[in-house]
């Protein structure tokens, strides 16, 4: 059998709630300067600022191929849902991707597999690519047990989402072990490769493109060690320095 073609690689950054409005927009302008033929050929790039910065970010990124994302969505398109943001409005504001179920939202804001699946369906319905964050909460010290435990915890997170979106819907799965987020270093590369190889099997047979990226203290030097398992990286703090982001894009595009 010929090897299964791997999807196009992708790198993304979530700014979470780290920056104020001015810093966010100057970051987005800085990233725009990185857009160029050298890496465009191999890598997709996305940025996820806070909701308020979306429309201005869209104006900045308009001439580029850089995709804009939102950090969350509501599962209904409109109605009496004070404080929530509609996926239809996100699309109108220029978002192409919507992040759903980040570990911080699951831990701090009561996000569940059920709400994540409903949000993924809402994203799909509105022409947005769901970027669904999954990952185990506990770091097992025995490496051999850690992979099985991670798969067990991630399986319902993945399958509930894939059951909720059309088979041909493009999906990005971000494998982010909770214990590796906000840490000094990313998770052990062997662990990431072993877990993501198994996760890919849950999406086998889908007709829609399913990309798997790794997140959790990722930065320059991370991708090469885990390229066997993932299609790219989802960055947090270590992309705040735009030169680091540039290095990562070059590494992912060239690997
Ligand atoms: O949560 C993350 C991306 O969604 C990763 O954040 P850090 O890279 O800052 O750990």
């Amino acid at each position: 059998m010929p090897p299964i073609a791997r999807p196009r690689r992708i790198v993304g950054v979530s700014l979470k709630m780290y920056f104020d409005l001015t810093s966010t927009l100057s970051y987005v302008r800085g990233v725009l300067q990185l857009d160029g033929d050298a890496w465009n050929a191999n890598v997709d790039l996305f940025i996820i600022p806070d909701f308020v910065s979306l429309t201005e970010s869209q104006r900045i990124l308009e001439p580029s191929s850089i995709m804009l994302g939102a950090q969350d969505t509501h599962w209904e398109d409109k109605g009496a849902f004070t404080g929530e943001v509609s996926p239809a409005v996100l699309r109108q504001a220029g978002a192409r991707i919507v992040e759903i179920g980040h570990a911080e939202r699951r831990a701090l804001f009561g996000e569940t597999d059920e709400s994540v699946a409903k949000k993924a369906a809402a994203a799909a319905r509105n022409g947005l690519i769901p970027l669904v964050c999954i990952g185990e909460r506990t770091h097992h010290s025995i490496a051999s047990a850690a992979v099985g435990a991670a798969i067990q915890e991630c399986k319902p997170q993945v399958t509930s989402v894939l059951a909720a979106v059309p088979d041909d819907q493009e999906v990005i799965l971000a494998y982010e072990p909770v214990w590796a987020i906000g840490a000094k270093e990313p998770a052990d590369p062997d662990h990431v490769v072993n877990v993501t190889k198994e996760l890919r099997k849950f999406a086998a047979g889908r007709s829609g493109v399913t990309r798997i990226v790794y997140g959790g203290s990722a930065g320059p030097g991370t991708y090469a060690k885990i390229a066997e398992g993932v299609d790219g990286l989802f960055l947090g703090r270590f992309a705040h320095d735009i030169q680091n982001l540039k290095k990562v894009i070059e590494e992912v595009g060239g690997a």
Side-chain angles (χ1 to χ4, degrees):
M1 271 214 324
I4 300 166
R6 287 282 287 273
R8 201 174 137 82
R9 292 186 280 253
I10 187 162
V11 171
V13 184
S14 165
L15 298 180
K16 304 196 182 187
M17 205 183 75
Y18 279 116
F19 292 173
D20 68 13
L21 191 53
T22 310
S23 324
T24 298
L25 298 178
S26 78
Y27 184 86
V28 172
R29 280 187 208 99
V31 174
L32 179 68
Q33 303 301 313
L34 299 180
D35 193 28
D37 294 341
W39 55 267
N40 268 354
N42 289 330
V43 188
D44 289 332
L45 177 64
F46 64 87
I47 310 180
I48 308 188
D50 61 86
F51 287 131
V52 175
S53 306
L54 279 174
T55 47
E56 189 57 30
S57 298
Q58 159 66 9
R59 257 192 287 275
I60 295 168
L61 296 176
E62 183 107 59
S64 78
S65 60
I66 299 167
M67 292 186 285
L68 189 63
Q71 295 186 14
D72 190 19
T73 180
H74 190 58
W75 56 74
E76 294 291 346
D77 294 357
K78 59 160 119 173
F81 303 104
T82 300
E84 293 292 320
V85 180
S86 156
V89 173
L90 293 176
R91 188 73 190 90
Q92 289 164 358
R96 302 269 311 279
I97 290 176
V98 64
E99 181 180 359
I100 305 169
H102 188 275
E104 288 144 19
R105 296 216 55 85
R106 292 179 192 261
L108 302 172
F109 304 105
E111 203 79 76
T112 62
D113 289 350
E114 196 192 348
S115 61
V116 169
K118 284 202 289 188
K119 290 176 175 192
R125 189 170 68 233
N126 284 283
L128 295 158
I129 301 169
L131 162 67
V132 180
C133 302
I134 56 173
E136 78 278 14
R137 277 170 302 225
T138 319
H139 186 196
H140 287 259
S141 50
I142 304 164
S144 55
V147 174
I151 303 298
Q152 209 178 358
E153 205 170 325
C154 293
K155 185 175 179 182
Q157 298 173 344
V158 176
T159 53
S160 55
V161 163
L162 295 184
V165 299
D167 183 69
D168 62 355
Q169 169 66 42
E170 179 174 354
V171 172
I172 304 169
L173 298 174
Y175 173 55
E176 307 203 327
V178 179
W179 45 271
I181 297 172
K184 278 204 192 112
E185 292 184 346
D188 172 53
D190 286 345
H191 179 77
V192 175
V193 169
N194 289 331
V195 173
T196 48
K197 278 185 167 174
E198 289 300 314
L199 293 178
R200 204 174 284 278
K201 293 181 187 165
F202 296 132
R206 294 190 79 241
S207 60
V209 176
T210 313
R211 289 188 274 197
I212 302 183
V213 295
Y214 169 79
S217 308
T222 304
Y223 185 71
K225 298 181 194 146
I226 58 174
E228 201 187 327
V230 301
D231 306 308
L233 293 179
F234 188 22
L235 300 153
R237 291 156 299 143
F238 299 147
H240 290 178
D241 175 342
I242 288 186
Q243 290 313 308
N244 272 352
L245 176 62
K246 183 167 187 270
K247 271 189 217 147
V248 168
I249 292 165
E250 286 164 357
E251 286 173 12
V252 174

